[in-house]
Amino acid sequence: MAEPDPRFGVLFEPVAIGPVTARNRFFQVPHCNGMGHLHPTAHAHMRGVKAEGGWAVVCTEEVEFHHSSELAPYVEGRIWDDADIPAHARLVDKVHEHDALAGIELVYSGHIAANLYSREPPMGPAHMPVAGHEPVQARRMASAISPTCAGGTGRPWPARFGPGTTSSTCTPPTGSR
């Protein structure tokens, strides 16, 4: 294998990101691939191939962290409750097999999500129509849903998902389950 051009040497230097260090500056940003929660093994292997190919940080696609913000029929990642953790753990393990860091893109779609699967009323910054073609009205969010909790359960993220996880309590929005 040829030596890299010295002009690009900085790309191959380790980078500290908070309490962890990426082995180089190749950061695979979050992008959707249509596998999400329906095809977790394929999703884990696809992200693992990216890590094997040299990416130092490999991120998931959008991952819905609360059932009141889902974009069905589009397939994304989910971490609504503890039942979703094994799929994400599989992805993390595949990425870690190649000494890469795994990242997760948490998303709360708010008034963009019509919640066609969960049938929960959408929530957003104000009472307003859902952006899209569905005849649905979003309600104003009464309190914040913290992305530091696992699926709104009030429990902290599992330690296996990496350093920097914190304990917090989720306050579900008024009227949600």
Side-chain angles (χ1 to χ4, degrees):
M1 186 168 165
E3 286 293 317
D5 187 318
R7 294 177 299 165
F8 306 113
V10 68
L11 294 174
F12 300 95
E13 294 174 3
V15 177
I17 304 172
V20 297
T21 300
R23 68 175 186 246
N24 60 43
R25 294 176 186 263
F26 293 97
F27 188 101
Q28 181 259 291
V29 298
H31 67 87
C32 292
N33 58 23
M35 296 177 199
H37 68 278
L38 291 181
H39 305 287
T41 300
H43 189 203
H45 282 276
M46 186 274 271
R47 302 295 179 183
V49 166
K50 289 177 174 276
E52 183 180 14
W55 295 90
V57 179
V58 178
C59 294
T60 65
E61 58 197 352
E62 287 186 349
V63 175
E64 302 161 353
F65 66 88
H66 197 264
H67 65 275
S68 65
S69 174
E70 52 92 1
L71 294 175
Y74 304 106
V75 178
E76 299 186 318
R78 285 186 180 159
I79 194 154
W80 291 0
D81 57 35
D82 289 348
D84 296 317
I85 292 174
H88 290 282
R90 188 178 311 152
L91 185 149
V92 169
D93 291 343
K94 281 292 180 192
V95 169
H96 285 176
E97 279 179 19
H98 305 287
D99 297 321
L101 303 175
I104 186 168
E105 179 185 24
L106 299 175
V107 64
Y108 190 84
S109 297
H111 75 280
I112 304 298
N115 299 333
L116 298 176
Y117 175 78
S118 70
R119 310 295 277 189
E120 285 287 325
M123 294 181 289
H127 294 290
M128 59 197 308
V130 168
H133 302 290
E134 296 85 3
V136 178
Q137 178 81 12
R139 63 184 178 188
R140 187 177 69 79
M141 190 179 286
S143 61
I145 298 174
S146 171
T148 60
C149 60
T153 62
R155 293 187 297 275
W157 290 108
R160 75 176 296 138
F161 291 132
T165 56
T166 60
S167 232
S168 87
T169 302
C170 286
T171 306
T174 303
S176 73
R177 59 183 175 149

